[in-house]
Amino acid sequence: MTIEQEFPDLTQWPVLQGALAYWGQTLLILVLLGLGVASFRDIIIRFQDTLSSRGFMAAMVGLPIAILGGILGTVRSLAVGLLEIVALPLGIRRVWAIARLAIQESIRRRVLYVLLLFLVPFLFAGWYLPKAEEGQLLYLVGFTNTTIGWLLLPMVLFVVGMSIPNDLKSRTIQTVVTKPIRRIEFIVGRVLGFMIVFTIVILVMGGVSLAYIYYQVSDQVLRDQWTARVPVYAKVEDPNSSPFYFIKQGVAGLAGTNVGREWNYRSHIEGDTPDEVRWFFTFNPKQFAGVDRTKVGMTFDVFKTTKGNPTRDEDESSGVWASLDFIDLQNPQNKFDRAFRVNNNRLTEITIPTSVLSSGQVLVRAQCVTRNQYIGMAKHDLFLLAREQSFEWNFIKGLITLWLKMLFLTSVAVSASTVLNGFVTVIFTIGAYVVGLVHNFLMEVAGGKILGGGPIESLVRLVTQMNQQADIEQGFIRSVINIFDPILTRFLAAVGAVVPDLSTIETAEYVASGFDIPSWLMMRNALLVVGYVIPVIIVGYFLFRGRETAA
Amino acid sequence: MNKARRRKVQYLVSMVVLFTLMIWVGRSLDTMQRRLQISQESLGRVNPVSGTAQLVLGGFRGVAVTLLWHQAQDLQKQGRFFEIEPIVKSITLLQPHFYSPWEFQSWNFAFNIAAEWEGVRDKYYWIEKGIDFMKAATETNRSKSDLEWYVGYMYFTRFGQSDEKRYLRELFRNDEDLDFVQSQSGVKDNYLVAYDWFTRANGTVLSQNIPPKRMAPHPFLCRPALSRSYYAETLADEGSFGPRIGEGWQLAYRDWVQFGLLGGKDRSKDLLFRLEYSPSEMEALTPEEKHWRYHYNRMVKYDHWKIRCQTEALPELQSAREAIFQANKARESGAYAKSLEFFEKGLPLWRGVMEKTEEYREDMLFKEDCQLMEDDYLRLLAHVGRSTPVRRPFDGLVPPLRDSLASQVQKSADEIKDLVKGQLEGAEPPKAPSPDTPAP
C-alpha cells in the first residue's frame, strides 16, 4: 500500500478549526463577490431604464441614486436570501415533500432499471478477470467500483441534469413554485430526493458486489487478505521534524541513494555499508496492550546490482537481506532486532515482542545486509499493526467515498440546471467531473510543468507530429502560441481552482490492499465534498431566485 | 394529402430506400472483406465482448486505447505489476487485430517485468504470463507467423538461455499446467514446446508462401531444428544421460536436412535459397548459386549443425561426455582421484571420436571444448602431484590451450601495433600556420 499524498488530520479539533475558518473566509469572499456582481448588474439596469425613459442627462444625474438603489436592493435581496437559507430547518417538511417528488420522479423515469443493467457485467467478468491469487482482490474491487461508478455517472447526469429543465419546459414547475415553498427548499429537496434514490442504488450494488467478490476470491485470499489492517505509521509530535529519514555516509537527509527508478516514491540504501533508514513512532501504547507479540508489516523494494551466481543453490536461496532494530526511546536497553530476507515489493509481516512498544516512543532502524544490493523504502513502507477490522465494513467505507462523488455531481447538476437547459447541464456536469478527475494534470499544464507547452502549442505539435522537446521556430505560429497560451493556461488554472481534485478522494486501493480507510481520510473527503456542495447549492439557489418561472 | 401526411410519407420512402441501400452496401462490403481476408473471422477468433466494446466506443476507440496504454506504463513505473494485466487485456479487446500491443506487452511481461522480480519463482510467473499472452495473440490473429514464432522464441530463450535457466527449467519440469509445459511428444521441456511452436510458425509461412515480416526466411525457418539440437545439448549439460540424447541428436539431424531441402535456387521466386545438395548437385551449381549457398549457410551455420548432430549422436561421444561430466562433478566436490579416473576413461573415447570425424575436429567450439577439458585434466594431475603424461590426450589433434591463448594474445598485440602504426603513418603532420593566414 503506497500513500503518496498526506493530508492534515482533520479529526483533530485545532486542525479542523483552522480548516473551517479558512473555508468560512472563502465563502465570505464568494458572497461579497456575488454581491458586487449582482449590484453592478442592478445598477446598469437602473441606469439603462432612466436612459431610455428620460434621456442621458437625467440618467447621469440619477446615477448616484441608481448606485445606492442598486447596492441597497442587492443587499436586501441577499439578506432575504440568507434569511431563507438560515430558516431552512423550519421548512423541513416542505423539503421532504419536494424530496418525495424527486424520488417519485426518479422511479417513474425507471432509474431502478439500472440495477438490472448492473448485473450484466457480472455475468461476464469472471471470464476476463485474472485468476491468480496475487492481485485478485485488486482486480475484483477495482472492477466492482468502476462498474458502479460508470453506471451511476450517466444516471446522475441524465436524471438530475434533465429534471428541472424538463419541469420548466413542460411548465409543471409552476404547480410547485406557486405553492408556499421557498426556492432553497426546492433545491435542497431535489438534491435530497435524488441522493436517497442513489443511496439505495449504491447500497444494492455494493451488496451485490461484496457478495460477488466474496464468492469469487480463493480460500487463501479469504484467509490472508480479507481484512482491514489498522496501521500505525511513523509520526512525531513536532511538525517541523520528519519522522522518517535516511543516513547516508553519516549525513542525515530525506533521501538515500538514487538507483535510477523513474518513480521516486522510494529511496534506497546500499547493502553492507553503515547507511540506514530511521522511522520514529509516537503512539498511544494502550492500543498494543494485552498481547505478547505485535505484527510489523513492511513492503520494500529490492534493487540488485549483481545477480550473484544464480546457478548456485546457496546464492539463489540467499536473496537480499535486511536487518531491523526496534529501540524503545524512553529506555534504550529495551530493544529487539531481527534480520530477514526482503520479499521484493510484497507485504511481509514479522512479529516483535510488544514489550518494546511499551513507552509509546519507538525508533526503528533498517539496514541492508547484502553487499552490492540496495533496498528501497518510504515512510509508509513500515507500520506497526494496531488491530484488524472487518473487510466488509471497509468496503462500505469505500462505498461512502463513491456516494460523496455522487453528492458532488448531483449538487452541481441541480444547481446548473436552474439556469442552463438540460443538455447543456449534462455537458457542464461532465466537464466538472472530468476536470475533477484530471485535476492534477490540469494544474500541471496550467503551471507549465508539462513538456510540450500549453493547449495551442500541444495542438500544433500534435497536428504537425512534432515531438515534445523540439523548439517551435519563431514566426506566425510561435506568435499565436505566445499570445493565446498564457491566456488559456490562466483560464485552466482558474477552472482548476474552482473544481475539487476528485482523484485524491479515491479509497478503493485501501479496500483492495486490505488496509482500513483511515478516519482522517474519510473526514477529509467528507469535508471536501460538503465544503463544495454548500456553496454550489447556495449559488444555485440565488440563480434560481433570479429566474422568472412564472409564464 | 395534407402537409404533415406528405412529410410522413416522404420519411417512410427515404427510410425504405436507405435501408435497401444499406443491405446492398453491407453485402458488397462483406464480400469484399472475405475476398481480402480482412473480415473478423478470417483475421482470427471472434470475441463477442471485444466486438461490443469496439462498437460502444466507436470513434473513441483510439483515444481509449491511448489512455489505457498510458495507465499501464504509469503502473509499471510504480511497480504495480499485477494491475497492468487487466488494462493490457482491455487494450487487446479494443484492438484485437493490431498486433503491436500484443507483441509489446507479452515481451514486457516475459522480459521487463520478469526482470524486476528478485525470486526465480516470480520470474517464472511473469514469463508464463507473457507467453500465454502471446499465445492468445496467435488465436486472435490467425495466420500471423511472426506471433507463433515469438511464442516459440520465448519458450526457447526465457527458459533455456537466461542466467537462471537451471532453476527455470526445473520449475518448468515440475509445473502441472500441462497445456503450458507439455510438448506434443509428451515431454515437459521448454525446447520441445518451442519446437512445436516453431514448427507451427513454419507451417503458416510455407502454406501461405509469404516470407516472415520481421526476419529473413533462413533464421526463421531453421528454428525447429535448432530447438531439437539445443534440447539434446542441454540434456547433456544437465547430466541427464541416456538414449534420449542420442535420439535427440538424430531427430535434430533429420530436422536440419528437412530444413536444408526447403526452397529452391531461384532467389526471385523461391521463398528461400535451398541449402542441401547431393555432391553431384553441388558440383553443378553456378558460381553465383555457390556464392548464395555459402552466404546462407554461414547465416544459419547449416553445415556446422549437420556435422555436429551426426557426431554428437555417436554412442562413444555420449559415453565420453558422460565420463567428463562425472569427472568435473567429482573434481568440484574434491574427489580428485575419482575425477582423474573419469578423465582417463573419457579422454581416450573423446580422442577416438576426434580421429574419426575430421570435419568436426576443425569446428572452433568443439576444439575449445577439447582444449578446456585437456587443460582441466593436466592441471588436476599437477595439483595432486602426479607427473604429466609424455603425450597430451589430444596431442597432434589440437594445440594446448595455453599455446592457443598465447598465440591469440600475440595476434591481438600485432593487430593493435599495426593499427597504431597505420594511423601514425596515415596521419598528416600538423601544418605550420602560413604567414598569409588571417587572424581569427
Side-chain angles (χ1 to χ4, degrees):
Chain A
M1 174 78 214
T2 54
I3 300 176
E4 287 193 77
Q5 198 175 5
E6 281 187 280
F7 300 104
D9 186 357
L10 291 165
T11 54
Q12 306 285 322
W13 174 240
V15 184
L16 181 62
Q17 213 178 4
L20 286 178
Y22 184 73
W23 178 78
Q25 277 173 25
T26 318
L27 203 60
L28 193 68
I29 293 171
L30 196 72
V31 169
L32 291 175
L33 206 69
L35 190 69
V37 173
S39 307
F40 185 70
R41 181 171 161 268
D42 205 1
I43 293 164
I44 296 291
I45 290 171
R46 281 163 195 262
F47 181 75
Q48 273 181 342
D49 282 350
T50 329
L51 189 71
S52 54
S53 58
R54 294 191 210 157
F56 181 74
M57 281 309 288
M60 285 308 288
V61 171
L63 188 61
I65 301 164
I67 291 174
L68 198 69
I71 291 174
L72 284 178
T74 313
V75 169
R76 187 183 146 272
S77 171
L78 182 74
V80 172
L82 288 178
L83 258 176
E84 275 194 14
I85 292 169
V86 173
L88 181 67
L90 298 176
I92 196 75
R93 278 185 51 227
R94 291 185 293 272
V95 170
W96 176 238
I98 297 287
R100 267 179 38 211
L101 279 179
I103 295 171
Q104 278 167 7
E105 185 195 327
S106 309
I107 293 170
R108 210 171 49 240
R109 294 179 69 180
R110 298 186 175 82
V111 161
L112 298 180
Y113 278 27
V114 78
L115 291 174
L116 289 178
L117 199 66
F118 172 67
L119 293 176
V120 177
F122 284 83
L123 297 176
F124 305 105
W127 301 358
Y128 295 95
L129 285 171
K131 306 280 184 300
E133 276 166 4
E134 198 147 4
Q136 200 175 36
L137 264 184
L138 271 178
Y139 303 140
L140 287 168
V141 174
F143 162 70
T144 53
N145 270 33
T146 316
T147 312
I148 299 177
W150 283 107
L151 279 175
L152 282 178
L153 183 67
M155 197 172 90
V156 172
L157 291 174
F158 289 99
V159 174
V160 182
M162 295 290 193
S163 168
I164 294 180
N166 275 350
D167 281 359
L168 284 166
K169 203 172 161 189
S170 60
R171 297 185 181 169
T172 45
I173 195 131
Q174 286 168 26
T175 59
V176 180
V177 292
T178 46
K179 300 274 182 321
I181 191 163
R182 297 195 177 98
R183 297 209 173 176
I184 184 78
E185 290 162 358
F186 179 76
I187 290 181
V188 173
R190 284 267 162 161
V191 173
L192 182 71
F194 287 128
M195 281 318 290
I196 288 172
V197 176
F198 298 151
T199 310
I200 294 166
V201 172
I202 288 179
L203 278 177
V204 175
M205 285 181 174
V208 172
S209 302
L210 192 61
Y212 177 77
I213 297 173
Y214 183 83
Y215 288 106
Q216 281 285 314
V217 293
S218 67
D219 293 342
Q220 177 146 13
V221 173
L222 275 184
R223 230 178 7 255
D224 302 340
Q225 298 169 37
W226 195 260
T227 180
R229 300 175 189 88
V230 181
V232 172
Y233 290 115
K235 186 182 162 191
V236 281
E237 295 298 337
D238 180 9
N240 296 319
S241 60
S242 170
F244 169 76
Y245 60 80
F246 291 81
I247 295 182
K248 186 183 167 189
Q249 293 171 348
V251 181
L254 291 174
T257 305
N258 183 349
V259 296
R261 291 246 195 258
E262 278 186 270
W263 189 44
N264 56 10
Y265 176 71
R266 294 189 173 94
S267 201
H268 291 68
I269 49 167
E270 192 178 346
D272 200 21
T273 63
D275 292 358
E276 62 176 58
V277 175
R278 291 182 178 182
W279 286 269
F280 286 92
F281 287 86
T282 310
F283 52 87
N284 179 2
K286 278 186 194 155
Q287 51 192 327
F288 297 102
V291 283
D292 290 342
R293 297 190 78 82
T294 298
K295 277 186 188 170
V296 174
M298 65 208 100
T299 313
F300 297 155
D301 176 54
V302 170
F303 182 81
K304 290 176 97 171
T305 58
T306 61
K307 274 191 175 180
N309 179 358
T311 55
R312 288 175 60 181
D313 280 325
E314 62 272 30
D315 277 357
E316 161 47 24
S317 57
S318 62
V320 177
W321 284 67
S323 72
L324 281 181
D325 293 332
F326 294 81
I327 302 159
D328 182 351
L329 286 172
Q330 297 289 323
N331 174 19
Q333 299 302 318
N334 179 15
K335 58 184 181 182
F336 175 78
D337 60 77
R338 167 91 193 260
F340 63 97
R341 183 181 175 179
V342 179
N343 197 352
N344 182 27
N345 273 305
R346 279 205 186 92
L347 179 66
T348 312
E349 286 181 334
I350 60 166
T351 59
I352 59 162
T354 306
S355 57
V356 85
L357 308 174
S358 57
S359 74
Q361 281 189 312
V362 177
L363 163 67
V364 183
R365 296 166 57 211
Q367 282 187 307
C368 176
V369 181
T370 314
R371 178 179 291 222
N372 290 336
Q373 314 298 11
Y374 291 77
I375 298 179
M377 303 168 202
K379 183 185 161 188
H380 295 96
D381 277 355
L382 185 132
F383 62 87
L384 310 172
L385 185 65
R387 61 185 185 283
E388 291 187 54
Q389 289 189 338
S390 84
F391 179 86
E392 290 82 357
W393 171 234
N394 208 30
F395 189 82
I396 293 170
K397 279 158 90 175
L399 290 181
I400 294 175
T401 310
L402 208 64
W403 184 88
L404 286 170
K405 269 194 208 169
M406 294 307 138
L407 175 63
F408 170 76
L409 282 178
T410 307
S411 326
V412 171
V414 167
S415 294
S417 67
T418 56
V419 278
L420 303 174
N421 82 31
F423 186 68
V424 181
T425 303
V426 171
I427 300 286
F428 181 83
T429 316
I430 292 178
Y433 188 63
V434 171
V435 168
L437 287 184
V438 299
H439 193 272
N440 197 20
F441 173 73
L442 196 78
M443 293 314 268
E444 279 180 345
V445 173
K449 289 178 192 158
I450 295 275
L451 265 183
I456 304 278
E457 190 176 330
S458 298
L459 184 69
V460 169
R461 286 177 193 277
L462 205 66
V463 173
T464 56
Q465 298 191 345
M466 184 188 273
N467 71 42
Q468 290 168 312
Q469 274 99 350
D471 284 331
I472 294 177
E473 283 174 26
Q474 291 296 332
F476 175 71
I477 292 177
R478 182 79 256 179
S479 314
V480 171
I481 290 170
N482 286 348
I483 294 166
F484 289 105
D485 262 353
I487 299 171
L488 286 172
T489 47
R490 263 174 217 144
F491 172 72
L492 287 180
V495 171
V498 174
V499 179
D501 186 352
L502 292 178
S503 66
T504 61
I505 71 169
E506 274 304 332
T507 51
E509 203 191 331
Y510 282 90
V511 181
S513 317
F515 280 84
D516 180 53
I517 304 172
S519 49
W520 58 261
L521 185 59
M522 292 298 291
M523 184 76 170
R524 181 256 172 197
N525 287 349
L527 284 177
L528 178 82
V529 173
V530 174
Y532 264 94
V533 164
I534 291 174
V536 164
I537 288 181
I538 293 177
V539 169
Y541 158 64
F542 278 108
L543 292 173
F544 195 38
R545 253 171 70 95
R547 179 160 185 164
E548 285 293 328
T549 49
Chain B
M1 212 185 314
N2 67 26
K3 216 174 172 184
R5 187 171 290 173
R6 203 168 59 213
R7 209 171 54 222
K8 276 177 196 161
V9 170
Q10 278 173 354
Y11 286 153
L12 198 73
V13 170
S14 333
M15 273 162 72
V16 170
V17 169
L18 284 173
F19 274 113
T20 321
L21 266 177
M22 271 294 288
I23 293 169
W24 180 75
V25 170
R27 278 198 184 153
S28 60
L29 274 177
D30 199 39
T31 328
M32 207 189 286
Q33 275 184 347
R34 278 170 207 283
R35 186 164 47 80
L36 296 171
Q37 296 210 326
I38 51 168
S39 67
Q40 281 278 354
E41 59 273 20
S42 52
L43 285 172
R45 193 184 60 191
V46 181
N47 181 335
V49 175
S50 167
T52 317
Q54 291 174 53
L55 209 66
V56 168
L57 281 171
F60 284 97
R61 192 157 60 126
V63 179
V65 166
T66 311
L67 286 175
L68 288 169
W69 192 273
H70 271 286
Q71 206 180 341
Q73 295 291 340
D74 283 344
L75 288 171
Q76 188 165 343
K77 277 181 207 163
Q78 296 179 10
R80 291 161 66 172
F81 303 119
F82 288 101
E83 290 161 70
I84 299 175
E85 202 192 333
I87 294 177
V88 170
K89 273 195 174 172
S90 312
I91 297 175
T92 53
L93 279 179
L94 289 173
Q95 293 188 328
H97 305 303
F98 178 31
Y99 70 84
S100 296
W102 289 102
E103 203 180 67
F104 176 87
Q105 292 295 355
S106 54
W107 277 77
N108 195 25
F109 287 160
F111 288 82
N112 305 339
I113 297 183
E116 291 281 343
W117 291 91
E118 196 235 348
V120 176
R121 269 178 201 285
D122 290 324
K123 288 180 193 288
Y124 185 92
Y125 174 87
W126 285 101
I127 296 169
E128 189 177 346
K129 276 254 157 303
I131 293 178
D132 279 343
F133 200 63
M134 194 68 103
K135 280 184 186 172
T138 62
E139 283 171 27
T140 320
N141 297 280
R142 216 175 284 148
S143 323
K144 290 278 191 293
S145 57
D146 291 271
L147 295 176
E148 291 163 341
W149 191 90
Y150 280 134
V151 177
Y153 187 72
M154 287 205 276
Y155 270 110
F156 187 99
T157 9
R158 288 310 274 137
F159 294 114
Q161 309 283 296
S162 59
D163 289 343
E164 301 85 358
K165 62 182 173 197
R166 192 183 125 190
Y167 291 95
L168 288 170
R169 276 177 55 82
E170 202 177 308
L171 287 172
F172 194 89
R173 279 194 293 272
N174 295 324
D175 194 337
E176 283 170 9
D177 179 3
L178 294 182
D179 284 345
F180 184 70
V181 292
Q182 200 170 47
S183 66
Q184 280 175 10
S185 57
V187 182
K188 285 184 183 181
D189 191 283
N190 67 300
Y191 285 116
L192 293 184
V193 184
Y195 173 86
D196 294 341
W197 279 95
F198 285 135
T199 310
R200 189 173 148 179
N202 283 11
T204 309
V205 168
L206 296 172
S207 65
Q208 294 173 337
N209 204 30
I210 300 170
K213 266 193 183 156
R214 308 274 167 93
M215 199 179 277
H218 284 91
F220 186 99
L221 293 164
C222 79
R223 280 282 167 169
L226 200 65
S227 304
R228 274 256 170 81
S229 311
Y230 268 83
Y231 166 66
E233 187 189 330
T234 311
L235 285 184
D237 285 348
E238 289 171 348
S240 322
F241 291 98
R244 276 196 302 164
I245 299 184
E247 283 165 20
W249 283 114
Q250 280 167 6
L251 288 171
Y253 178 77
R254 198 195 63 190
D255 286 327
W256 278 108
V257 174
Q258 271 177 6
F259 162 70
L261 288 169
L262 293 174
K265 288 186 280 187
D266 187 347
R267 289 183 62 249
S268 59
K269 275 188 195 159
D270 295 316
L271 190 69
L272 75 165
F273 193 86
R274 193 173 139 196
L275 294 173
E276 181 66 32
Y277 298 96
S278 66
S280 57
E281 283 175 327
M282 192 73 107
E283 281 292 309
L285 291 181
T286 64
E288 199 199 339
E289 285 166 351
K290 276 189 182 155
H291 163 79
W292 288 116
R293 203 265 163 200
Y294 172 79
H295 173 77
Y296 290 118
N297 174 45
R298 270 188 50 166
M299 191 186 264
V300 291
K301 293 199 168 81
Y302 176 70
D303 287 345
H304 158 87
W305 278 109
K306 253 178 67 190
I307 296 164
R308 189 164 173 198
C309 292
Q310 271 177 319
T311 317
E312 294 282 357
L314 295 172
E316 52 267 45
L317 185 58
Q318 286 312 311
S319 307
R321 277 203 184 274
E322 189 171 356
I324 301 296
F325 179 83
Q326 299 294 355
N328 281 329
K329 213 169 145 189
R331 185 170 58 100
E332 278 165 17
S333 63
Y336 298 143
K338 209 170 176 188
S339 173
L340 285 172
E341 228 173 80
F342 277 119
F343 268 127
E344 278 152 13
K345 184 185 163 199
L347 289 174
L349 282 172
W350 200 287
R351 187 180 170 94
V353 174
M354 288 180 74
E355 282 169 348
K356 245 185 0 191
T357 55
E358 201 182 326
E359 277 175 308
Y360 197 33
R361 199 164 65 213
E362 293 311 313
D363 185 84
M364 210 171 72
L365 288 173
F366 191 62
K367 233 180 195 173
E368 264 179 28
D369 275 355
C370 297
Q371 286 176 321
L372 286 168
M373 222 181 306
E374 188 185 72
D375 195 58
D376 284 344
Y377 169 64
L378 294 175
R379 279 196 302 159
L380 189 59
L381 280 179
H383 184 72
V384 296
R386 275 175 52 180
S387 56
T388 46
V390 184
R391 196 168 170 236
R392 286 187 299 110
F394 299 128
D395 195 24
L397 295 174
V398 286
L401 178 70
R402 278 154 213 218
D403 286 4
S404 287
L405 288 176
S407 70
Q408 264 180 24
V409 170
Q410 187 57 47
K411 202 177 151 195
S412 307
D414 289 346
E415 275 173 12
I416 293 168
K417 218 192 277 173
D418 288 348
L419 196 74
V420 173
K421 206 174 146 193
Q423 278 191 343
L424 283 178
E425 280 170 0
E428 286 180 24
K431 281 181 189 164
S434 130
D436 303 331
T437 312

